[in-house]
Amino acid sequence: MAEDYYPADYVRRIKGEKSQKATVDMTGKKAPDWTLTDMKGQKVSLSGIKSKVILLQFTGIGCGPCKISIPFLNRLKKEYAVNELEVLAVETWGRSKSSCEAYVKNQGIEYSFLTADKETIAKLINDYQAGSGVPQFYLIGKDRTIIAKFQGYAEKTTDTEIEKKIKANL
């Protein structure tokens, strides 16, 4: 068959059918390292974070569920010591730094909010096999292995699921 000769990453699209890229389960795999910039202009890298557990959120300014998750993430930042849990959000929609700064200020975000150029963000999304939907949360252990991935956000439900996993891995 002709399909036997397609490259491994080839995506075949048929008119009228919805195409969806298969998602890869990153649970149990080493979290890909990255270096991004915080709102103060400081470089932050995954390998440079010393806390036991990291909650990494892929977010987008203008995403309703992302905005609703802010109080939960602020609470986590306050409740856990820095050496226990680091809470980070990465703007994945390619907004300007000034837009991100205004968003952080207006929403009262108290955890690290990270940005990068479009190429770096595209690589990050690809490395984590994240696709385009936000919010996505990655719980990363001290050994920098991905413990769990949470897709989307539903107040109270997602909060409970994430907190259970955090407590089980501290």
Side-chain angles (χ1 to χ4, degrees):
M1 291 183 102
E3 287 88 359
D4 295 338
Y5 299 98
Y6 293 159
D9 60 348
Y10 181 81
V11 177
R12 187 172 148 207
R13 299 197 173 148
I14 300 171
K15 187 175 179 178
E17 285 186 15
K18 250 187 161 178
S19 67
Q20 248 186 342
K21 188 177 176 183
T23 57
V24 175
D25 185 4
M26 296 289 288
T27 304
K29 295 184 177 157
K30 202 72 160 165
D33 199 10
W34 42 259
T35 300
L36 305 169
T37 307
D38 68 12
M39 294 296 95
K40 296 174 186 163
Q42 301 295 313
K43 295 290 182 191
V44 178
S45 66
L46 178 64
S47 57
I49 298 170
K50 304 300 178 205
S51 65
K52 290 181 183 174
V53 176
I54 297 168
L55 181 62
L56 177 66
Q57 178 196 39
F58 286 9
T59 189
I61 292 176
C63 162
C66 300
K67 189 174 175 181
I68 293 168
S69 73
I70 293 170
F72 167 64
L73 297 176
N74 279 341
R75 182 173 62 76
L76 288 178
K77 179 69 176 167
K78 286 178 189 167
E79 284 183 14
Y80 292 91
V82 172
N83 64 342
E84 288 183 322
L85 177 70
E86 184 69 40
V87 179
L88 308 162
V90 179
E91 206 312 308
T92 61
W93 288 4
R95 304 289 193 208
S96 69
K97 188 168 186 285
S98 61
S99 295
C100 290
E101 288 168 342
Y103 182 76
V104 167
K105 183 180 177 191
N106 294 338
Q107 298 305 318
I109 293 174
E110 298 171 10
Y111 46 91
S112 295
F113 197 88
L114 309 171
T115 63
D117 59 67
K118 289 182 182 182
E119 294 78 26
T120 302
I121 293 298
K123 181 180 180 332
L124 179 69
I125 290 167
N126 186 57
D127 288 350
Y128 278 77
Q129 300 291 316
S132 60
V134 291
Q136 293 184 41
F137 302 86
Y138 292 86
L139 191 62
I140 303 169
K142 187 174 184 172
D143 64 355
R144 300 305 173 241
T145 298
I146 297 174
I147 297 166
K149 176 184 175 184
F150 305 89
Q151 178 75 43
Y153 182 79
E155 199 172 4
K156 295 188 179 43
T157 306
T158 308
D159 298 1
T160 304
E161 292 172 11
I162 291 174
E163 277 200 274
K164 271 186 203 172
K165 284 283 190 182
I166 289 170
K167 289 176 182 174
N169 287 282
L170 286 181

